[in-house]
């Protein structure tokens, strides 16, 4: 039997795959400053390079001690440093949680029920996710494996149905617009992969070959995301740029034989992925909180996270301008680079320069 | 404790999925105004006049039941600065909230089309309750006239209009355009918009009216500037690879007339950039046809030689329509409804970069070659005299 709190590599990457798919489904060109208006397909293809580059520091960190997380490795040097680090990661996870929930709120109140106040639904969903987080990472990852199968079937069905409207002339030639902008867009797309930060904390919990799993995960999700964008651009063309959530608009125009209007499928996929991503972010943020404050009060930690996210969601979804400020591409870029690259490098250097300092003390 | 918490959360979560229509603003579906069609005209004072066709949910079939409204649909005429502004007053008049998700068609009056359709389409793409995959058409007169047609008893006029527009799938004489396609054409830098035109006419049995697709309106910068009539629409469909059904009739082959239905068609457009950036577009059309009718006193005359003659006649006819349409659009209207600019964009981005800024003035210099190949695939049940 596996140790408590440990998951398989397959489960880990299924979980991260589902979380990353949500980011793609909720892609909103008008709200993703940094992501260019054109050449999305090229940007997604180039994203793979940036993802690998962004993952290099954590590769060395993982290689340094595969069984210990970044916090445990920092703890070997200084407990205070480890606790500060835990608090910083708590803030990062809460930020991504707020991003996830506010975007869901924006989606529901812009496209599904514009006249309704869905605060109650959001709060209930958050507490449901909090409960899932309380059950632990094993429960969330087991659920994500099952849901991933459902989600993939749903996405493939939508793409298959809508691809009947594919028109090659809706595409754009490669590198017509500024190459720098395309590169910037690819970098932003990579930075939207908050799963890289989640991986830092979850990799030590996974058994099996995490490194080869990482490359398979990147290859698989870039492939599916690329397919989604190829169909999106080929079907909607320049119209996609004018839409708040282009993948939803794509599902709206889907029609093939008896199958039409697949927006309900996209909505269901969105909700399922949102629940899983929120649960795992709650799990991680509560873990960070426990470590930062050196306490065992798991329920209190999760509850605090739920309340915090509910309050900020309410604040950021009150107006379009506050939501736009939150979704600024540069903010996500800075956070991803800081937590996926800078802090792992810093910890790695400190661990190498001051090995086992705490033990000596 | 865990079990109790999970049960409570599940009840709330599942409960949220069990809500009925009454949770929506506006109440149950029978308490809503189910919009079937929207017509938009330009008012004399520059305002937007909206004619809305809604379903009478309390309508009873004439065979029995309690008495209800006599007509299956009701017409509301509204006015405002924008479409939403006009539509907001409908609930004050009818006492119900409109439901646009079942809307079938958007009809735009000719005068509004001439002043610019940009005022008329954004609502149907932006409003969350509307579908952007709606049929759109231009009225030869006013949208109000089309929306107010009295079709045969027991039919929904908007449904009849939708069917007429949808028939493009079977006849290849009319164009079928959806709202989001208009917005896509509008977004493309060099592409010109085209939308089918409809007119009111007398029903075949003389009792009531019907709506028929008459021609195709073409636009420059969202303003209607002309029409494609007769076979010109078919020519446009050939040039844009949009022939999906229909038939072609030829005369005087062995003193007989024959009609062929299109089985499979494909148009491929390629562009060559010649000296001084002169553009030559080659349109290659390939279509398989099945014989539906061959009116000759003697089936022996339908032989291999006759088949070749008929294939040649059809080829010439398709080439003629396509070329004439391309000439009219490029030379007369200076419009690119064929997406030639877009094709150049894919093929040679540097030439496109150079020419797209002044695309309209380059259109007249474009040379279009059409080469059609027609293959008779089947001859129906009738006998033929092939060697």
């Amino acid at each position: 039997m596996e140790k408590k709190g440990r998951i398989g590599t397959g489960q880990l990457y299924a979980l991260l795959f589902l979380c990353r798919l949500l980011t793609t489904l909720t892609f909103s060109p008008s709200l993703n400053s940094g992501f260019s208006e054109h050449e999305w397909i090229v940007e997604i293809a180039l994203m793979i390079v940036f993802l690998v580059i962004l993952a290099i520091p954590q590769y060395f960190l993982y290689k340094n001690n595969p069984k210990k997380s970044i916090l445990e490795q920092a703890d070997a040097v200084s407990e205070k440093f480890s606790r500060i680090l835990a608090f910083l990661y708590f803030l990062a996870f809460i930020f991504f949680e707020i991003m996830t929930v506010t975007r869901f709120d924006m989606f529901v109140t812009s496209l599904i029920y514009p006249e309704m106040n869905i605060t109650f639904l959001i709060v209930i969903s958050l507490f449901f996710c909090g409960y899932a987080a309380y059950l632990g990472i094993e429960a969330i990852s087991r659920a994500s494996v099952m849901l991933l199968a459902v989600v993939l079937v749903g996405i493939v069905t939508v793409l298959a149905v809508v691809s009947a409207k594919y028109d090659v002339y809706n595409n754009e030639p490669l590198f017509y617009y500024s190459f720098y902008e395309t590169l910037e867009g690819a970098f932003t797309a990579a930075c939207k992969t908050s799963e890289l930060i989640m991986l830092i904390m979850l990799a030590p919990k996974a058994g099996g070959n995490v490194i080869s799993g990482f490359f398979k995960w990147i290859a698989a999700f870039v492939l599916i995301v690329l397919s989604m964008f190829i169909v999106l651009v080929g079907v909607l063309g320049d119209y996609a740029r004018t839409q708040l959530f282009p993948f939803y608009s794509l599902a709206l125009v889907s029609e093939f034989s008896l199958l039409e209007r697949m927006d309900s499928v996209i909505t269901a996929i969105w909700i399922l992925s949102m629940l899983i991503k929120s649960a795992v972010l709650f799990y991680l943020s509560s873990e960070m909180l426990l470590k930062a404050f050196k306490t065992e009060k798991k329920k209190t930690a999760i509850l605090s996270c739920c309340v915090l996210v509910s309050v900020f969601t309410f604040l950021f979804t009150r107006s379009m301008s506050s939501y736009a400020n939150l979704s600024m591409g540069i903010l996500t870029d800075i956070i991803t680079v800081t937590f996926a690259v800078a802090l792992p490098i810093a910890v790695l250097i400190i661990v190498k320069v001051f090995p086992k300092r705490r033990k000596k003390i | 404790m865990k079990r109790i918490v999970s049960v409570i959360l599940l009840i709330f979560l599942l409960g949220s999925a069990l809500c009925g229509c009454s949770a929506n603003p506006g109440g149950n579906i029978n308490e809503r105004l189910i919009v079937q069609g929207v017509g938009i005209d330009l008012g004399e004072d520059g305002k937007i006049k909206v004619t809305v066709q809604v379903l009478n949910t309390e309508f009873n079939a004439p065979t029995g039941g309690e008495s209800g409204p006599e007509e299956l649909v009701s017409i509301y005429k509204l006015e405002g600065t924008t479409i939403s502004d006009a539509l907001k007053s409908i609930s004050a008049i009818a006492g119900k909230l409109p439901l646009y998700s079942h809307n079938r068609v958007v009809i735009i009056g000719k005068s509004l089309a001439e002043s610019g359709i940009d005022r008329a389409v954004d609502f149907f793409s932006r409003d969350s309750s509307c579908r952007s995959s709606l049929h759109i058409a231009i009225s030869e007169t006013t949208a109000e006239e089309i929306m107010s047609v009295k079709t045969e008893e027991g039919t929904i006029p908007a449904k009849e209009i939708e069917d007429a527009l949808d028939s493009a799938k079977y006849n290849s004489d009319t164009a079928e355009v959806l709202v989001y396609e208009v917005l896509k054409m509008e977004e493309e830098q060099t592409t010109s918009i085209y939308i089918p035109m409809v007119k009111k006419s007398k029903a075949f049995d003389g009792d009531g009216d019907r709506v028929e697709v008459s021609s195709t309106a073409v636009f420059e910068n969202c303003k209607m500037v002309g029409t494609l009539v007769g076979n010109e629409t078919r020519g446009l469909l050939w040039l844009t690879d949009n022939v999906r059904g229909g038939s072609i009739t030829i005369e005087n082959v062995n003193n007989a007339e024959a009609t062929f239905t299109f089985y499979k068609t494909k148009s491929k457009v390629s562009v060559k950039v010649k000296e001084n950036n002169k553009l030559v577009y080659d349109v290659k059309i390939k279509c398989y046809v099945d014989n539906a009718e061959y009116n000759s006193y003697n089936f022996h005359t339908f032989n291999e030689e006759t088949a070749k003659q008929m294939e040649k006649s059809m080829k010439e006819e398709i080439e003629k329509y396509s070329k004439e349409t391309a000439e009219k659009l490029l030379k007369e209207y200076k419009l690119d409804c064929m997406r030639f600019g877009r094709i150049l964009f894919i093929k040679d981005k540097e030439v496109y970069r150079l020419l797209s800024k002044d695309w309209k003035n380059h259109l007249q210099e474009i040379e279009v070659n059409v080469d059609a190949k027609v293959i008779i695939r089947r001859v129906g049940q009738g006998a033929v005299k092939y060697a």
Side-chain angles (χ1 to χ4, degrees), chain A residues 279-299:
Chain A
V280 73
L281 283 167
F282 272 142
Y283 169 79
L284 288 169
S285 47
S286 63
E287 283 253 302
M288 297 301 108
L289 211 55
L290 293 177
K291 281 182 181 150
F293 293 100
K294 226 181 162 188
T295 168
E296 295 291 316
K297 291 174 181 170
K298 197 176 168 184
K299 281 181 201 166

PDB file of all heavy atoms in Angstrom, chain A residues 279-299:
ATOM      1  N   ALA A 279      -9.697  22.559  -6.188  1.00  0.00           N
ATOM      2  CA  ALA A 279      -9.426  21.642  -5.070  1.00  0.00           C
ATOM      3  C   ALA A 279      -7.921  21.484  -4.860  1.00  0.00           C
ATOM      4  O   ALA A 279      -7.438  21.554  -3.729  1.00  0.00           O
ATOM      5  CB  ALA A 279     -10.070  20.292  -5.347  1.00  0.00           C
ATOM      6  N   VAL A 280      -7.190  21.304  -5.948  1.00  0.00           N
ATOM      7  CA  VAL A 280      -5.749  21.088  -5.796  1.00  0.00           C
ATOM      8  C   VAL A 280      -5.062  22.376  -5.327  1.00  0.00           C
ATOM      9  O   VAL A 280      -4.127  22.329  -4.511  1.00  0.00           O
ATOM     10  CB  VAL A 280      -5.129  20.484  -7.079  1.00  0.00           C
ATOM     11  CG1 VAL A 280      -5.030  21.457  -8.206  1.00  0.00           C
ATOM     12  CG2 VAL A 280      -3.739  19.941  -6.795  1.00  0.00           C
ATOM     13  N   LEU A 281      -5.547  23.525  -5.791  1.00  0.00           N
ATOM     14  CA  LEU A 281      -4.946  24.787  -5.337  1.00  0.00           C
ATOM     15  C   LEU A 281      -5.259  25.044  -3.864  1.00  0.00           C
ATOM     16  O   LEU A 281      -4.430  25.556  -3.125  1.00  0.00           O
ATOM     17  CB  LEU A 281      -5.423  25.946  -6.213  1.00  0.00           C
ATOM     18  CG  LEU A 281      -4.744  26.036  -7.577  1.00  0.00           C
ATOM     19  CD1 LEU A 281      -5.483  27.003  -8.498  1.00  0.00           C
ATOM     20  CD2 LEU A 281      -3.283  26.462  -7.468  1.00  0.00           C
ATOM     21  N   PHE A 282      -6.459  24.655  -3.442  1.00  0.00           N
ATOM     22  CA  PHE A 282      -6.800  24.759  -2.014  1.00  0.00           C
ATOM     23  C   PHE A 282      -5.912  23.837  -1.188  1.00  0.00           C
ATOM     24  O   PHE A 282      -5.444  24.205  -0.111  1.00  0.00           O
ATOM     25  CB  PHE A 282      -8.270  24.393  -1.776  1.00  0.00           C
ATOM     26  CG  PHE A 282      -9.207  25.553  -1.915  1.00  0.00           C
ATOM     27  CD1 PHE A 282     -10.448  25.402  -2.498  1.00  0.00           C
ATOM     28  CD2 PHE A 282      -8.854  26.805  -1.428  1.00  0.00           C
ATOM     29  CE1 PHE A 282     -11.318  26.470  -2.627  1.00  0.00           C
ATOM     30  CE2 PHE A 282      -9.722  27.878  -1.557  1.00  0.00           C
ATOM     31  CZ  PHE A 282     -10.955  27.706  -2.161  1.00  0.00           C
ATOM     32  N   TYR A 283      -5.715  22.643  -1.709  1.00  0.00           N
ATOM     33  CA  TYR A 283      -4.876  21.672  -1.007  1.00  0.00           C
ATOM     34  C   TYR A 283      -3.469  22.249  -0.819  1.00  0.00           C
ATOM     35  O   TYR A 283      -2.921  22.236   0.282  1.00  0.00           O
ATOM     36  CB  TYR A 283      -4.822  20.359  -1.806  1.00  0.00           C
ATOM     37  CG  TYR A 283      -3.779  19.401  -1.307  1.00  0.00           C
ATOM     38  CD1 TYR A 283      -4.003  18.616  -0.174  1.00  0.00           C
ATOM     39  CD2 TYR A 283      -2.552  19.286  -1.958  1.00  0.00           C
ATOM     40  CE1 TYR A 283      -3.024  17.756   0.300  1.00  0.00           C
ATOM     41  CE2 TYR A 283      -1.577  18.432  -1.495  1.00  0.00           C
ATOM     42  CZ  TYR A 283      -1.816  17.667  -0.366  1.00  0.00           C
ATOM     43  OH  TYR A 283      -0.842  16.821   0.103  1.00  0.00           O
ATOM     44  N   LEU A 284      -2.921  22.778  -1.919  1.00  0.00           N
ATOM     45  CA  LEU A 284      -1.551  23.297  -1.863  1.00  0.00           C
ATOM     46  C   LEU A 284      -1.458  24.549  -0.993  1.00  0.00           C
ATOM     47  O   LEU A 284      -0.541  24.676  -0.182  1.00  0.00           O
ATOM     48  CB  LEU A 284      -1.041  23.591  -3.277  1.00  0.00           C
ATOM     49  CG  LEU A 284      -0.726  22.353  -4.117  1.00  0.00           C
ATOM     50  CD1 LEU A 284      -0.496  22.733  -5.570  1.00  0.00           C
ATOM     51  CD2 LEU A 284       0.490  21.614  -3.581  1.00  0.00           C
ATOM     52  N   SER A 285      -2.416  25.463  -1.158  1.00  0.00           N
ATOM     53  CA  SER A 285      -2.337  26.700  -0.372  1.00  0.00           C
ATOM     54  C   SER A 285      -2.508  26.406   1.122  1.00  0.00           C
ATOM     55  O   SER A 285      -1.826  27.015   1.956  1.00  0.00           O
ATOM     56  CB  SER A 285      -3.341  27.737  -0.862  1.00  0.00           C
ATOM     57  OG  SER A 285      -4.587  27.168  -1.035  1.00  0.00           O
ATOM     58  N   SER A 286      -3.378  25.452   1.470  1.00  0.00           N
ATOM     59  CA  SER A 286      -3.550  25.133   2.896  1.00  0.00           C
ATOM     60  C   SER A 286      -2.291  24.455   3.448  1.00  0.00           C
ATOM     61  O   SER A 286      -1.885  24.716   4.580  1.00  0.00           O
ATOM     62  CB  SER A 286      -4.775  24.247   3.109  1.00  0.00           C
ATOM     63  OG  SER A 286      -4.598  23.020   2.462  1.00  0.00           O
ATOM     64  N   GLU A 287      -1.652  23.622   2.634  1.00  0.00           N
ATOM     65  CA  GLU A 287      -0.394  22.980   3.057  1.00  0.00           C
ATOM     66  C   GLU A 287       0.666  24.037   3.340  1.00  0.00           C
ATOM     67  O   GLU A 287       1.410  23.946   4.311  1.00  0.00           O
ATOM     68  CB  GLU A 287       0.118  22.069   1.931  1.00  0.00           C
ATOM     69  CG  GLU A 287      -0.617  20.754   1.824  1.00  0.00           C
ATOM     70  CD  GLU A 287       0.214  19.602   2.326  1.00  0.00           C
ATOM     71  OE1 GLU A 287       1.312  19.401   1.789  1.00  0.00           O
ATOM     72  OE2 GLU A 287      -0.247  18.924   3.267  1.00  0.00           O
ATOM     73  N   MET A 288       0.715  25.038   2.450  1.00  0.00           N
ATOM     74  CA  MET A 288       1.704  26.109   2.607  1.00  0.00           C
ATOM     75  C   MET A 288       1.423  26.903   3.885  1.00  0.00           C
ATOM     76  O   MET A 288       2.331  27.257   4.625  1.00  0.00           O
ATOM     77  CB  MET A 288       1.674  27.075   1.408  1.00  0.00           C
ATOM     78  CG  MET A 288       2.048  26.475   0.067  1.00  0.00           C
ATOM     79  SD  MET A 288       3.679  25.763   0.024  1.00  0.00           S
ATOM     80  CE  MET A 288       3.298  24.033  -0.023  1.00  0.00           C
ATOM     81  N   LEU A 289       0.147  27.121   4.106  1.00  0.00           N
ATOM     82  CA  LEU A 289      -0.251  27.879   5.295  1.00  0.00           C
ATOM     83  C   LEU A 289       0.133  27.129   6.571  1.00  0.00           C
ATOM     84  O   LEU A 289       0.646  27.720   7.533  1.00  0.00           O
ATOM     85  CB  LEU A 289      -1.770  28.101   5.240  1.00  0.00           C
ATOM     86  CG  LEU A 289      -2.316  29.367   5.871  1.00  0.00           C
ATOM     87  CD1 LEU A 289      -1.654  30.604   5.299  1.00  0.00           C
ATOM     88  CD2 LEU A 289      -3.815  29.453   5.668  1.00  0.00           C
ATOM     89  N   LEU A 290      -0.094  25.821   6.563  1.00  0.00           N
ATOM     90  CA  LEU A 290       0.255  24.998   7.729  1.00  0.00           C
ATOM     91  C   LEU A 290       1.749  25.060   8.002  1.00  0.00           C
ATOM     92  O   LEU A 290       2.188  25.150   9.142  1.00  0.00           O
ATOM     93  CB  LEU A 290      -0.173  23.541   7.493  1.00  0.00           C
ATOM     94  CG  LEU A 290      -1.678  23.251   7.410  1.00  0.00           C
ATOM     95  CD1 LEU A 290      -1.932  21.787   7.098  1.00  0.00           C
ATOM     96  CD2 LEU A 290      -2.371  23.623   8.709  1.00  0.00           C
ATOM     97  N   LYS A 291       2.518  25.004   6.891  1.00  0.00           N
ATOM     98  CA  LYS A 291       3.971  25.028   7.066  1.00  0.00           C
ATOM     99  C   LYS A 291       4.458  26.414   7.483  1.00  0.00           C
ATOM    100  O   LYS A 291       5.359  26.521   8.313  1.00  0.00           O
ATOM    101  CB  LYS A 291       4.659  24.577   5.778  1.00  0.00           C
ATOM    102  CG  LYS A 291       4.612  23.058   5.664  1.00  0.00           C
ATOM    103  CD  LYS A 291       5.286  22.509   4.467  1.00  0.00           C
ATOM    104  CE  LYS A 291       5.122  20.992   4.514  1.00  0.00           C
ATOM    105  NZ  LYS A 291       5.071  20.378   3.227  1.00  0.00           N
ATOM    106  N   ALA A 292       3.866  27.439   6.906  1.00  0.00           N
ATOM    107  CA  ALA A 292       4.295  28.798   7.220  1.00  0.00           C
ATOM    108  C   ALA A 292       4.036  29.131   8.685  1.00  0.00           C
ATOM    109  O   ALA A 292       4.851  29.783   9.339  1.00  0.00           O
ATOM    110  CB  ALA A 292       3.581  29.788   6.318  1.00  0.00           C
ATOM    111  N   PHE A 293       2.887  28.688   9.204  1.00  0.00           N
ATOM    112  CA  PHE A 293       2.545  29.015  10.586  1.00  0.00           C
ATOM    113  C   PHE A 293       2.806  27.854  11.544  1.00  0.00           C
ATOM    114  O   PHE A 293       2.412  27.918  12.703  1.00  0.00           O
ATOM    115  CB  PHE A 293       1.088  29.494  10.660  1.00  0.00           C
ATOM    116  CG  PHE A 293       0.889  30.815   9.968  1.00  0.00           C
ATOM    117  CD1 PHE A 293       0.368  30.883   8.685  1.00  0.00           C
ATOM    118  CD2 PHE A 293       1.263  31.994  10.595  1.00  0.00           C
ATOM    119  CE1 PHE A 293       0.207  32.092   8.037  1.00  0.00           C
ATOM    120  CE2 PHE A 293       1.102  33.212   9.950  1.00  0.00           C
ATOM    121  CZ  PHE A 293       0.582  33.264   8.667  1.00  0.00           C
ATOM    122  N   LYS A 294       3.440  26.834  11.048  1.00  0.00           N
ATOM    123  CA  LYS A 294       3.848  25.674  11.853  1.00  0.00           C
ATOM    124  C   LYS A 294       2.689  25.179  12.717  1.00  0.00           C
ATOM    125  O   LYS A 294       2.766  25.162  13.952  1.00  0.00           O
ATOM    126  CB  LYS A 294       5.053  26.048  12.716  1.00  0.00           C
ATOM    127  CG  LYS A 294       6.142  25.005  12.666  1.00  0.00           C
ATOM    128  CD  LYS A 294       7.289  25.381  13.530  1.00  0.00           C
ATOM    129  CE  LYS A 294       8.128  24.147  13.808  1.00  0.00           C
ATOM    130  NZ  LYS A 294       9.150  24.410  14.797  1.00  0.00           N
ATOM    131  N   THR A 295       1.614  24.869  12.068  1.00  0.00           N
ATOM    132  CA  THR A 295       0.431  24.415  12.806  1.00  0.00           C
ATOM    133  C   THR A 295      -0.131  23.156  12.142  1.00  0.00           C
ATOM    134  O   THR A 295       0.214  22.828  11.012  1.00  0.00           O
ATOM    135  CB  THR A 295      -0.640  25.535  12.849  1.00  0.00           C
ATOM    136  OG1 THR A 295      -1.854  24.981  13.302  1.00  0.00           O
ATOM    137  CG2 THR A 295      -0.870  26.197  11.530  1.00  0.00           C
ATOM    138  N   GLU A 296      -1.004  22.463  12.846  1.00  0.00           N
ATOM    139  CA  GLU A 296      -1.587  21.221  12.319  1.00  0.00           C
ATOM    140  C   GLU A 296      -3.073  21.412  12.002  1.00  0.00           C
ATOM    141  O   GLU A 296      -3.755  20.461  11.652  1.00  0.00           O
ATOM    142  CB  GLU A 296      -1.448  20.093  13.354  1.00  0.00           C
ATOM    143  CG  GLU A 296      -0.019  19.687  13.663  1.00  0.00           C
ATOM    144  CD  GLU A 296       0.686  18.993  12.503  1.00  0.00           C
ATOM    145  OE1 GLU A 296       0.056  18.131  11.873  1.00  0.00           O
ATOM    146  OE2 GLU A 296       1.839  19.340  12.206  1.00  0.00           O
ATOM    147  N   LYS A 297      -3.559  22.657  12.144  1.00  0.00           N
ATOM    148  CA  LYS A 297      -5.003  22.892  11.998  1.00  0.00           C
ATOM    149  C   LYS A 297      -5.398  22.941  10.518  1.00  0.00           C
ATOM    150  O   LYS A 297      -5.570  24.020   9.924  1.00  0.00           O
ATOM    151  CB  LYS A 297      -5.403  24.189  12.700  1.00  0.00           C
ATOM    152  CG  LYS A 297      -5.287  24.081  14.199  1.00  0.00           C
ATOM    153  CD  LYS A 297      -5.553  25.412  14.842  1.00  0.00           C
ATOM    154  CE  LYS A 297      -5.403  25.297  16.351  1.00  0.00           C
ATOM    155  NZ  LYS A 297      -5.411  26.594  17.006  1.00  0.00           N
ATOM    156  N   LYS A 298      -5.536  21.753   9.943  1.00  0.00           N
ATOM    157  CA  LYS A 298      -5.802  21.640   8.506  1.00  0.00           C
ATOM    158  C   LYS A 298      -7.156  22.252   8.126  1.00  0.00           C
ATOM    159  O   LYS A 298      -7.270  22.981   7.139  1.00  0.00           O
ATOM    160  CB  LYS A 298      -5.764  20.159   8.125  1.00  0.00           C
ATOM    161  CG  LYS A 298      -5.630  19.890   6.658  1.00  0.00           C
ATOM    162  CD  LYS A 298      -5.498  18.397   6.423  1.00  0.00           C
ATOM    163  CE  LYS A 298      -5.648  18.057   4.966  1.00  0.00           C
ATOM    164  NZ  LYS A 298      -5.626  16.621   4.728  1.00  0.00           N
ATOM    165  N   LYS A 299      -8.179  21.918   8.942  1.00  0.00           N
ATOM    166  CA  LYS A 299      -9.534  22.408   8.620  1.00  0.00           C
ATOM    167  C   LYS A 299      -9.563  23.936   8.610  1.00  0.00           C
ATOM    168  O   LYS A 299     -10.119  24.555   7.716  1.00  0.00           O
ATOM    169  CB  LYS A 299     -10.539  21.902   9.658  1.00  0.00           C
ATOM    170  CG  LYS A 299     -10.969  20.473   9.451  1.00  0.00           C
ATOM    171  CD  LYS A 299     -11.976  20.105  10.517  1.00  0.00           C
ATOM    172  CE  LYS A 299     -12.037  18.601  10.683  1.00  0.00           C
ATOM    173  NZ  LYS A 299     -12.737  18.201  11.896  1.00  0.00           N
TER     174      LYS A 299
END
